[in-house]
Amino acid sequence: MNTSFLEIPEQYQITTTIQQNTYLVGGELKTWSGEMANVYSSISSTKQYAPTLLGQIPQLGKKEALEALEAAGEAYGKGQGEWPTMKVIDRIACMQKFVSQMKTKREEIVKLLMWEIGKNLPDSEKEFDRTVDYIYDTIEEYKQLDRDNAKFEKQDGVYAHIRRGPLGIVLCLGPYNYPLNETFALLIPAIIMGNTVIFKPAKHGVLLMTPLLEAFKNSFPPGVVNIIYGRGRVVATPIMEAGRVDVLALIGNSKSANALQDSHPRQNRLRLVLGLEAKNPAIILPDADLDLTIDECIAGTLSFNGQRCTALKVLYVHENIREAFNKRFAERVDALQFGNPWDKGAKLTPLPEPDKPAYIQELIDDALNHGASVLNKKGGKTVENYIFPAVLYPVNKNMKVFQEEQFGPVVPVLSFKDIEEPLSDIADSNYGQQVSVFGQNTQALAPLIDTLVNLVCRVNLNSSCQRGPDVYPFTGRKDSAVGTLSVHDALRSFSIRTFVASKDNAYNNAILKELLDTKASNFISTDYIL
């Protein structure tokens, strides 16, 4: 299952390492001469397996972190800076300039997505293109938001001009599984709404930001976007401890989110936008179309090796169809092709985290010790950078694979007789992002849907869980999320309603008219953005 360097297509070969010795603070690409960290790919480029050195990144310290915070603070200027007071149309122009430059880096970023996190070529291309589309959709949504607000309202003799304003300084931390798309789902709306940002890329998927540093520098005023590198506890913690961050935007795990919140001295002033863990279940009813269900469950459990918060993490199968489902599902899993990301047809690809195969093996061993079996012949077979997906049955609540979000290639299956069994588990779960329901009897589906919409935030009918389309709300209950992300909602998550009010009298009305006629105010405006 190893691919030698000579077998790697020329356009995907890594011939030189990336020496990323600069970081972006205050509009300047600063050169770092201190400690560097090696960035490895779990994909081997030699016949004898060895991780491939992709490059190096700075290991910045507290001093550099606080310099980034100061730059963001100066750019925001306590709400008086150039960026937060800029006209909407001018902020949009900056974002359009950025995305135009970003598009020129597609080939380079797609290549790094494959090498850094092992995402296959079609999905890497999709992630880039989807991110570009997301930026354009955000721009259009922001225009519409501004058009909707380009008016005065009157209530009880008081005029109000209501808009959405920025919150302040945002600390943004993205995930490794979608290091471009999920990160930009936080970064782009935060920036365009007038906030200033400090961004630290994830440990895996860090080098793919290198091609974009110049674009960020060229497109936005100094200090609006600051990009730093290093260990989270070294650079993110002191930034939070300073108490100047207004928004913590993080997609990752709740342990990190809680630790960062706890380090902020003014938590009542801290806005949270968090995408956290999920344990999304599938409920497969006795009348489910098995062909459709198995297709969707294969995609739901094992797309990108199950390394998605929206992945199906546990399958509940009605006992009447358990044997047929388990047999066919296990055979389909074994038929999935493992290969390097650029290999045609590769559905399973190397895992970016070196310790992930051992962790998945721990889950398998624990399940076996508690009475489960591996249903598929290839399940648990291991090479240096991968462990083949194991379909486990019967799974029970004592197993770690039931309790933990596995975030990797292992599929726990439970059978049920009474629908109250999976419903009770979902209600008791610490997570509440999504669920997939497979079946066609509307009399059975109707009450099930009516219950599930109060336990999770998205019920997928006869389809696997997913985030998109990006115009739909993406959020979760309980420990799965704080705030809502979509093209529409994210702009609101990173802003606050603010307005100018004036009593309806000749004196005030004359002032408002002059403000509008002279266009002296960036806030008070009824201009219509096309």
Side-chain angles (χ1 to χ4, degrees), residues 505-523:
N505 55 49
Y507 181 74
N508 284 336
N509 293 348
I511 294 171
L512 290 176
K513 185 177 186 305
E514 185 173 352
L515 283 168
L516 290 170
D517 289 345
T518 61
K519 302 184 185 299
S521 169
N522 290 348
F523 185 90

Side-chain angles (χ1 to χ4, degrees), residues 91-102:
R91 284 208 294 262
I92 288 172
C94 291
M95 190 62 73
Q96 289 171 328
K97 180 179 180 181
F98 170 77
V99 71
S100 294
Q101 294 185 29
M102 174 182 170

